[in-house]
Amino acid sequence: FSKLGLSDPIVQAVSEQGYTVPTTIQQQAIPAVLAGRDLLATAQTGTGKTASFVLPILQSLGGERKLRGKRIRALILVPTRELAMQVEANIADYGRHLNLRSMVMVGGVDAEPQKHGLIYGVDILVATPGRLLDMAHQRALYFDELDVLVLDEADRMLDMGFIEDINKIISHLPEQRQNLLFSATLSKEVRSLARTAIENPVEISVIADSSAKPDISQWLITVDKDTKSALLSHLIKTYDWTQALIFIRTKHGAAKLVSQLEKRGIKAESIHGGRSQAVRTQILADFKSGAIGILVATGIAARGIDIDDLDRVVNYDLPDDDDDYIHRIGRTGRAGASGEAVSLVSKDDFKRLCAIERRLDHLIERREIEGFEASKVVPVSILNYVKKDSKKSYNI
Ligand code: AMP
């Protein structure tokens, strides 16, 4: 890390985290960001992307400069509250030997403490777009001292419909600034955002780099829809799964699954958009500490969960979008740890399975569990399947 041009207090904080070698994206991004360049980076969670922008930002803000009230110097926009908290926690860890102020600003919680936190200015603000815009409109903060903008998980922000908010925010920013965009995928929409927000960027992609790819064993079980919860209970008990993050489509489904598991003697919790932010934060903390082992989550609520050694993720439902599958499995097997991704696939998931396997460019290993054989057979995917009305163009 010191060879990348980072100062001693930062190198020390990084080594206190136990990191010895920078990941591929860190090796490429840190010198470029320190040199003041804009960045367009294709990288998933699990590659060490957060540190790749946080470390050089800490370094460039580390010099003497007085903060002015209601001003921010670096803005990190993220899609979800959970990711915001995660990124800010990393800033606090990596910046522990520096004297910089960072803060999270997200919706769903009281705005007053956030306004209060801005009064003397903040060096690094991590925010979701909606709340940030609200605060700017209320003149609780001004962007005239901003040096750096980071768009983290840009594809996800666009999927969640934040494009208008992001464009409005960008229109308020000073023209002279550094821009860093991170995205798991470079869709047409992300490229078009990049054109408005970024100038002559250094482009980095770590997706194709197998050394950066986490070690994840992926497998699936074909099963009838109505026996999924019984199969899941069986897997948890038989294989003694002490930790699993289970993705499910709907809030209602999440609550129902928790009660089905509990009826079979398995303790589980759920997070979804219908639960308050305070409850979600507590449940996430308990899941991280191991107090909760089985967590059922809807896709949006689970976004941004960062746990170093998550044993496995389970797709109780397959996601509609193949990008989401990649994001989900990225929750396990992170930065060197191995993990598994298990999917319960019923016949109505077939099209989604095709899209995912096409994206992976290989079939996912199928396993059978005695007593749970699917009566409605899930055919083997056609790897050149193309989603109808798909916005993406596949290279076939
Ligand atoms: P991210 O891709 O930013 O979500 O990071 C994935 C995980 O890797 C996080 O839990 C980090 O704490 C961890 N990490 C980041 N950089 C390194 C590194 N150089 N060596 C080991 N672990 C790292």
Side-chain angles (χ1 to χ4, degrees), residues 1 19 21-23 26 44-50 94 306 308 334-335:
F1 282 97
Y19 311 161
V21 189
T23 63
Q26 290 162 5
Q44 295 157 234
T45 33
T47 53
K49 70 175 169 69
T50 313
Y94 306 146
D306 174 53
D308 287 347
R334 322 192 70 183

Side-chain angles (χ1 to χ4, degrees), residues 67-87:
L67 263 179
R68 283 175 61 207
K70 299 189 180 179
R71 266 53 177 194
I72 58 174
R73 299 169 66 197
L75 171 62
I76 301 172
L77 284 180
V78 296
T80 64
R81 307 157 184 186
E82 280 78 16
L83 184 60
M85 289 190 278
Q86 190 59 52
V87 170

Side-chain angles (χ1 to χ4, degrees), residues 164-334:
E164 272 185 35
D165 286 353
I166 293 173
N167 281 332
K168 273 188 209 150
I169 291 165
I170 289 174
S171 72
H172 291 302
L173 304 182
E175 286 208 353
Q176 278 296 328
R177 56 169 206 269
Q178 189 174 18
N179 303 288
L180 315 175
L181 185 151
F182 289 79
S183 186
T185 49
L186 277 196
S187 60
K188 225 169 61 203
E189 292 81 2
V190 174
R191 283 212 171 267
S192 135
L193 172 64
R195 274 193 298 277
T196 51
I198 307 191
E199 234 171 277
N200 185 23
V202 175
E203 291 203 27
I204 295 176
S205 170
V206 294
I207 292 233
D209 182 345
S210 61
S211 71
K213 252 197 191 150
D215 176 15
I216 301 166
S217 129
Q218 300 173 59
W219 51 281
L220 64 81
I221 302 165
T222 62
V223 60
D224 291 332
K225 207 174 176 168
D226 50 4
T227 45
K228 277 189 180 180
S229 80
L231 170 62
L232 180 64
S233 308
H234 174 83
L235 290 168
I236 292 171
K237 286 184 179 165
T238 312
Y239 298 105
D240 206 10
W241 284 357
T242 48
Q243 190 193 46
L245 175 59
I246 297 157
F247 289 93
I248 194 161
R249 193 174 314 252
T250 62
K251 293 189 231 188
H252 173 70
K256 188 168 151 201
L257 180 58
V258 167
S259 78
Q260 284 167 328
L261 290 173
E262 281 177 346
K263 272 191 203 128
R264 295 188 173 95
I266 296 164
K267 210 173 143 326
E269 261 297 352
S270 66
I271 52 167
H272 50 71
R275 306 199 78 164
S276 76
Q277 184 54 31
V279 170
R280 281 157 66 171
T281 305
Q282 183 57 48
I283 290 175
L284 273 182
D286 289 347
F287 187 54
K288 280 188 187 190
S289 74
I292 292 172
I294 306 293
L295 180 61
V296 180
T298 54
I300 286 181
R303 183 83 185 171
I305 294 179
D306 174 53
I307 298 166
D308 287 347
D309 50 359
L310 187 57
D311 294 344
R312 70 184 52 73
V313 297
V314 176
N315 289 303
Y316 191 84
D317 295 318
L318 282 184
D320 285 327
D321 192 313
D322 44 313
D323 284 346
D324 280 341
Y325 179 85
I326 306 285
H327 283 306
R328 287 182 184 185
I329 69 171
R331 308 288 140 195
T332 179
R334 322 192 70 183

Side-chain angles (χ1 to χ4, degrees), residues 7-189:
S7 63
D8 290 345
I10 297 175
V11 174
Q12 190 189 337
V14 164
S15 72
E16 283 161 5
Q17 292 296 309
Y19 311 161
T20 45
V21 189
T23 63
T24 309
I25 185 149
Q26 290 162 5
Q27 287 173 28
Q28 297 180 12
I30 291 171
V33 179
L34 287 177
R37 295 291 304 270
D38 277 10
L39 207 65
L40 177 58
T42 323
Q44 295 157 234
T45 33
T47 53
K49 70 175 169 69
T50 313
S52 82
F53 61 83
V54 168
L55 298 177
I57 288 176
L58 287 170
Q59 166 107 351
S60 48
L61 299 183
E64 288 296 304
R65 198 176 94 180
K66 260 193 92 159
L67 263 179
R68 283 175 61 207
K70 299 189 180 179
R71 266 53 177 194
I72 58 174
R73 299 169 66 197
L75 171 62
I76 301 172
L77 284 180
V78 296
T80 64
R81 307 157 184 186
E82 280 78 16
L83 184 60
M85 289 190 278
Q86 190 59 52
V87 170
E88 205 274 333
N90 285 356
I91 295 170
D93 284 339
Y94 306 146
R96 58 194 293 191
H97 302 302
L98 299 169
N99 194 15
L100 292 171
R101 269 173 60 79
S102 57
M103 191 178 118
V104 168
M105 178 180 280
V106 294
V109 293
D110 187 6
E112 281 312 309
Q114 297 176 357
K115 280 188 192 163
H116 204 80
L118 284 166
I119 288 178
Y120 298 108
V122 167
D123 291 292
I124 307 179
L125 183 67
V126 189
T128 47
R131 174 59 63 94
L132 181 81
L133 210 52
D134 271 1
M135 293 297 224
H137 285 149
Q138 294 181 40
R139 301 183 191 281
L141 87 161
Y142 296 90
F143 298 111
D144 53 337
E145 303 257 321
L146 184 116
D147 291 331
V148 190
L149 169 69
V150 180
L151 299 168
D152 191 17
E153 307 205 347
D155 50 348
R156 189 64 181 184
M157 287 200 279
L158 298 185
D159 286 351
M160 289 171 68
F162 282 134
I163 186 65
E164 272 185 35
D165 286 353
I166 293 173
N167 281 332
K168 273 188 209 150
I169 291 165
I170 289 174
S171 72
H172 291 302
L173 304 182
E175 286 208 353
Q176 278 296 328
R177 56 169 206 269
Q178 189 174 18
N179 303 288
L180 315 175
L181 185 151
F182 289 79
S183 186
T185 49
L186 277 196
S187 60
K188 225 169 61 203
E189 292 81 2

